[in-house]
Amino acid sequence: MSIESEHLSADNETRRRRFAADRSDETDPQWNQQSPRGGPRGLECDGVCGAHLHQEGLDGHSSLLCTSLPLSPSAPKYLCTQGSHSLHALDDEWVEVPCKTTISAENEVEAQKLANNYKFGFRKWKSHVTERPFEERSEVVKELYSELNVIKPHTGSLISCGNVFYVILFGWWLALVYILLSLVMFTTLIGIPYGKLCWNLSGYFLWPFGKSITKGVASDRRPKRKDAHTFTEDVEDNRGASTFLLPTPVEEIVEEPQPPLKTSHWKRVSTYVWLLLGYPVLVIFHSLGCLLSWLLVVTIPVAKMNARAVGSILLLPPEEVHISPVTEPQSGEDTALLCCNHAINGYYYKYTVDGINVFAVNLLPLVIIALVIGYVDKDNKFASSEVKFATAIGSIIPLSYYIGMGIASISAQSNFAVGAVVNATFGSIAEMTFYITALIRGHSQGNQCLQEIVKAALTGTLLGCILFIPGICMVIGGLRHREQRFNSRSAGVSSSLLFISIGGVFAPTMFSKAYGNLICEGCSSTGTNASTNTSGPYVCHNCHYDLGEKNSTMFHDHIEPLVYSVSALLPAAYIIGLIFTLKTHSHIYDIQVGDSNASGHLGAVVHWSRWRALFILIVATVLMSACADLTTEHIQPILSQPGISQYFIGVTVLAMVPEIPEIVNGIQFALQNNISLSLEVGSCIAVQVCMIQIPLLVLFNAVYDVGFVLIFSDLHLWASIFSVILVNYIFMDGKSDYFQGTALVVVYLILLAVYFYAPSPAGC
């Protein structure tokens, strides 16, 4: 080898060491440790492996290095093979480094769900679709699911803000109810034992902290044990005998004469007096306390305490219920029933019921309320249109969550093809139900305003997914992790795809501006009153391009075919992306479960089976259609509010409310230092809007003409294009912090201000 070749090899080695040292300095030290499941973590990279190409030597070989990025413990770990590949200088041939995905998950179902998060066209889902082993959960999580039937000595002071809040909100009136019932039971004479029980429980529920309720046999029926001095006297009587001949010390139970057995609890007259006068009243008040504390979420321990009182304690014989401080020793015959030291736990936002987050569970009754007042109270006697609109639009939030959980459950238990079909079919169902019902109602009423509202909602979804969701995730993630890294190549692909989508969707609009007939009608204020010198709302007909009857040839011969062409090309591009990731290049997403003991479905207890998830998807879709119909029926009073542009309502409320579960998922990914998925959340929704939702609306209009024309206003056009350019610039360096996120959020708020002060569209 020549001297020049040796010099180049040494230079390559020096650069390689510097590159490795720089990456090790940027990586969190905790990722250089052993994996908690055993074995070294190896080289890790996020998404597609980034290849670092050194200067090529004379021998025609180069080394490829896979960068190492810190990921959260629950995120997939990408182990990349490292080696040399032939790279000919004249041919410029690039040999790609194989990358295999290794998922650290409890079981294969969870591994499949995590892998789906990184695939094009799949909905990003954070929550678990299987039950996590309880013994492997942290102590904080175990405390959330405790049933308060274990006596635990308290640590620290019991006088805390949460406990004082309990007394103010719940304790005083529960204690008052028990005192009043105690007086009632005392007046019946036969219910005196229950009167004493109510008196004791009034003090407990006023301040239950540091106390416990146990179940034990009556004191006069407990067997008595011989005291220790009895055995000592026996020993003294045998003082002269050898110690080997002394009896073995055995605890002796002295059988005292038992009193006659008492009447069974359910054969007493006092029991039925209690069930008639006392227990029903307490059921009502404890149920009220249980409901209020459950809705507040952080006070769920109070809900468990009320439920346990109604279901167990109040149905026991009064002589078997014992209240004592936790510091007192309990006898062996007593069974713990209730012990609560803290009324508030801030971690209950993680609480789930059958895999469903507690907030989604609490919002589900809102769906029933919206349907009842919407379809029963037709004349608005009990609720106004504004209230019906608010409840209907709010009910979309839990339904969107249930649809997302159903999609994730089916995709995690099926092959990639079924998962892709389910994601494409149900991924946009929440938005499509509203858009279609709004277009149908607007066409039947001859109201062009609803069509403009649909276009505003489509644009608002794009702006929110391009600017707000990545921005808020960058801000929250950057405040915790200072600086986060993501794969700039993957983000560049998403940005390019957004450019293609935006260009296709707004192509008919730009075509109409180039060849349409420009008509300017100007702006004017309506309802001018000369006597009071006041005017009505400012209506701007604006300069627009005539595509109606006066210029029907332009629309039918040129713009309409262009719309159909674009609507066919965009889904085709979406299908090509699915084929690329699921078929031809599926080796990039090969799944290897990190824990060898978690292979297969043997250890997985799925919250929702495939059939159950499909049933919930169908029911949620039907309910979503009903709520969307109520939203469009009662939206007119909202649109008629003076001083608020209809554009603003469309780009905010109607666009972003269905995306609230996605925003929560993105924030959770960012908090776990997985900013790549946070950015993909918004990109995935924006791509589905352009490549699936809008073509479906065009197809629906072709089958059932509702007058939907794919021509957007200038404000929608330039706001969308500017947003895509800005995001593409932000994603260039592959780094994110709270400042970049703040920039995106501020730009989003500026655009909302523009929409807020914009004149209402024509026909509204």
Side-chain angles (χ1 to χ4, degrees):
M1 183 179 293
S2 64
I3 298 176
E4 183 180 1
S5 177
E6 293 177 357
H7 177 71
L8 289 175
S9 300
D11 190 24
N12 288 340
E13 181 64 20
T14 303
R15 292 184 182 181
R16 186 189 66 80
R17 291 180 179 178
R18 288 180 180 175
F19 180 82
D22 293 339
R23 298 304 302 163
S24 62
D25 292 339
E26 295 173 357
T27 305
D28 196 336
Q30 64 176 330
W31 303 106
N32 296 327
Q33 299 173 358
Q34 288 284 101
S35 171
R37 298 185 181 274
R41 295 189 179 273
L43 295 175
E44 300 175 358
C45 63
D46 185 14
V48 182
C49 301
H52 183 75
L53 179 61
H54 294 286
Q55 185 176 357
E56 186 180 19
L58 297 179
D59 55 350
H61 293 278
S62 64
S63 60
L64 296 172
L65 295 178
C66 179
T67 59
S68 174
L69 296 178
L71 295 173
S72 67
S74 61
K77 310 298 187 294
Y78 295 87
L79 305 184
C80 303
T81 59
Q82 178 183 4
S84 298
H85 295 270
S86 177
L87 192 64
H88 301 286
L90 298 178
D91 297 338
D92 290 335
E93 181 182 358
W94 177 267
V95 180
E96 208 175 290
V97 177
C99 183
K100 192 169 186 177
T101 305
T102 299
I103 306 278
S104 294
E106 292 88 351
N107 51 70
E108 190 175 350
V109 178
E110 287 298 328
Q112 180 82 351
K113 189 262 300 182
L114 291 174
N116 290 341
N117 285 339
Y118 286 85
K119 290 179 176 55
F120 170 74
F122 278 72
R123 189 163 183 164
K124 319 307 175 187
W125 193 253
K126 177 65 181 64
S127 301
H128 279 66
V129 296
T130 60
E131 294 182 8
R132 303 179 66 182
F134 189 76
E135 59 276 4
E136 297 180 6
R137 309 292 290 272
S138 63
E139 293 299 325
V140 175
V141 176
K142 290 180 180 179
E143 182 67 23
L144 301 181
Y145 295 94
S146 63
E147 294 299 328
L148 305 181
N149 57 354
V150 178
I151 299 177
K152 298 179 180 179
H154 60 84
T155 57
S157 176
L158 293 174
I159 303 177
S160 61
C161 294
N163 293 349
V164 173
F165 178 77
Y166 163 82
V167 176
I168 297 174
L169 195 60
F170 301 100
W172 69 271
W173 56 268
L174 282 176
L176 180 61
V177 170
Y178 272 100
I179 291 175
L180 295 177
L181 280 180
S182 174
L183 298 177
V184 171
M185 297 308 295
F186 275 122
T187 56
T188 61
L189 297 181
I190 197 171
I192 289 178
Y194 286 98
K196 294 179 180 179
L197 175 63
C198 290
W199 181 262
N200 294 332
L201 290 177
S202 66
Y204 178 84
F205 282 102
L206 178 64
W207 185 264
F209 315 109
K211 304 174 185 177
S212 65
I213 299 179
T214 57
K215 174 187 176 183
V217 297
S219 58
D220 56 352
R221 298 180 60 185
R222 294 180 183 177
K224 303 214 176 158
R225 304 178 182 275
K226 183 182 272 189
D227 295 336
H229 70 273
T230 308
F231 177 75
T232 306
E233 293 174 356
D234 295 340
V235 174
E236 290 178 354
D237 294 338
N238 298 279
R239 196 173 286 172
S242 172
T243 55
F244 291 99
L245 301 178
L246 292 177
T248 303
V250 178
E251 186 178 14
E252 182 179 352
I253 299 177
V254 178
E255 295 291 342
E256 294 187 353
Q258 295 289 337
L261 292 177
K262 295 185 178 180
T263 308
S264 173
H265 173 56
W266 298 106
K267 296 181 180 180
R268 304 177 194 171
V269 179
S270 60
T271 300
Y272 294 96
V273 172
W274 165 252
L275 293 177
L276 181 63
L277 299 179
Y279 184 73
V281 177
L282 292 177
V283 168
I284 295 174
F285 283 95
H286 276 298
S287 299
L288 177 62
C290 186
L291 177 62
L292 293 177
S293 55
W294 181 272
L295 293 178
L296 292 175
V297 177
V298 293
T299 56
I300 286 182
V302 180
K304 293 181 179 180
M305 185 170 60
N306 283 275
R308 197 158 188 83
V310 172
S312 176
I313 296 173
L314 297 178
L315 295 176
L316 293 174
E319 66 273 7
E320 294 185 7
V321 179
H322 306 286
I323 303 174
S324 61
V326 175
T327 55
E328 292 185 3
Q330 307 294 331
S331 62
E333 294 83 3
D334 291 345
T335 302
L337 296 176
L338 184 59
C339 180
C340 181
N341 293 327
H342 301 283
I344 291 180
N345 189 338
Y347 287 97
Y348 266 101
Y349 70 91
K350 299 180 177 180
Y351 195 76
T352 59
V353 180
D354 197 19
I356 299 299
N357 187 269
V358 62
F359 288 101
V361 175
N362 288 348
L363 288 175
L364 192 58
L366 189 64
V367 179
I368 302 175
I369 296 174
L371 296 178
V372 170
I373 65 175
Y375 289 107
V376 175
D377 184 22
K378 288 290 187 179
D379 299 329
N380 296 342
K381 294 181 179 179
F382 303 99
S384 62
S385 293
E386 290 82 358
V387 173
K388 293 179 180 179
F389 173 81
T391 54
I393 198 71
S395 62
I396 293 178
I397 300 175
L399 292 176
S400 300
Y401 183 92
Y402 280 83
I403 289 175
M405 181 69 175
I407 293 173
S409 298
I410 295 177
S411 301
Q413 301 174 71
S414 308
N415 56 40
F416 294 156
V418 174
V421 172
V422 172
N423 276 269
T425 305
F426 290 95
S428 304
I429 199 69
E431 297 86 353
M432 290 300 300
T433 51
F434 169 75
Y435 299 151
I436 292 177
T437 52
L439 291 175
I440 293 175
R441 187 174 295 277
H443 178 69
S444 62
Q445 296 177 355
N447 187 0
Q448 286 292 111
C449 185
L450 289 180
Q451 184 181 142
E452 294 298 326
I453 292 300
V454 169
K455 295 178 183 178
L458 288 168
T459 308
T461 304
L462 289 176
L463 297 180
C465 296
I466 295 174
L467 296 176
F468 180 73
I469 294 181
I472 197 66
C473 293
M474 284 183 177
V475 171
I476 296 177
L479 291 176
R480 168 173 287 190
H481 300 287
R482 187 180 178 87
E483 184 179 85
Q484 295 178 297
R485 295 178 178 271
F486 55 90
N487 193 317
S488 59
R489 182 181 176 187
S490 176
V493 172
S494 299
S495 299
S496 301
L497 196 58
L498 283 175
F499 266 119
I500 297 172
S501 303
I502 295 296
V505 167
F506 289 99
T509 303
M510 292 185 287
F511 187 89
S512 67
K513 294 185 181 304
Y515 298 102
N517 293 330
L518 181 64
I519 298 177
C520 293
E521 298 181 3
C523 303
S524 61
S525 58
T526 61
T528 304
N529 191 335
S531 61
T532 59
N533 197 24
T534 59
S535 61
Y538 191 72
V539 178
C540 187
H541 298 285
N542 211 343
C543 293
H544 62 279
Y545 295 87
D546 182 23
L547 300 174
E549 296 179 356
K550 297 180 181 179
N551 199 11
S552 59
T553 304
M554 175 70 181
F555 177 75
H556 291 294
D557 294 347
H558 299 280
I559 295 181
E560 191 173 25
L562 176 61
V563 170
Y564 290 143
S565 300
V566 169
S567 300
L569 290 173
L570 288 177
Y574 186 85
I575 294 174
I576 291 173
L578 291 178
I579 296 174
F580 178 83
T581 56
L582 304 180
K583 187 68 176 176
T584 61
H585 288 66
S586 60
H587 62 276
I588 300 176
Y589 304 99
D590 284 343
I591 300 172
Q592 177 182 345
V593 181
D595 189 356
S596 59
N597 297 327
S599 60
H601 293 254
L602 298 178
V605 179
V606 185
H607 289 301
W608 294 357
S609 64
R610 278 183 290 239
W611 291 109
R612 181 184 178 188
L614 181 61
F615 174 76
I616 293 176
L617 274 179
I618 296 174
V619 173
T621 302
V622 173
L623 295 177
M624 182 76 73
S625 302
C627 293
D629 180 67
L630 291 174
T631 302
T632 56
E633 181 181 354
H634 299 282
I635 195 176
Q636 195 58 45
I638 307 298
L639 298 177
S640 302
Q641 293 293 328
I644 300 179
S645 174
Q646 283 81 356
Y647 281 139
F648 180 76
I649 298 174
V651 299
T652 54
V653 178
L654 302 180
M656 296 308 295
V657 167
E659 311 303 337
I660 288 179
E662 304 293 339
I663 297 174
V664 173
N665 283 333
I667 291 175
Q668 289 179 333
F669 286 131
L671 289 175
Q672 292 191 346
N673 204 18
N674 200 348
I675 193 65
S676 295
L677 284 186
S678 298
L679 303 181
E680 289 295 329
V681 166
S683 300
C684 180
I685 300 173
V687 168
Q688 283 192 345
V689 169
C690 296
M691 293 188 170
I692 294 181
Q693 295 180 16
I694 291 179
L696 284 178
L697 290 177
V698 174
L699 177 62
F700 176 78
N701 184 77
V703 176
Y704 181 76
D705 188 9
V706 291
F708 179 73
V709 180
L710 197 62
I711 304 295
F712 292 84
S713 67
D714 290 354
L715 184 57
H716 297 330
L717 172 65
W718 301 121
S720 301
I721 293 177
F722 174 73
S723 300
V724 174
I725 295 175
L726 176 63
V727 167
N728 190 47
Y729 175 78
I730 292 291
F731 289 173
M732 273 187 188
D733 58 353
K735 300 177 183 178
S736 71
D737 48 47
Y738 72 89
F739 176 75
Q740 291 178 331
T742 303
L744 293 178
V745 174
V746 169
V747 171
Y748 177 73
L749 295 178
I750 291 174
L751 292 177
L752 290 188
V754 172
Y755 278 105
F756 182 81
Y757 294 107
S760 299
C764 292

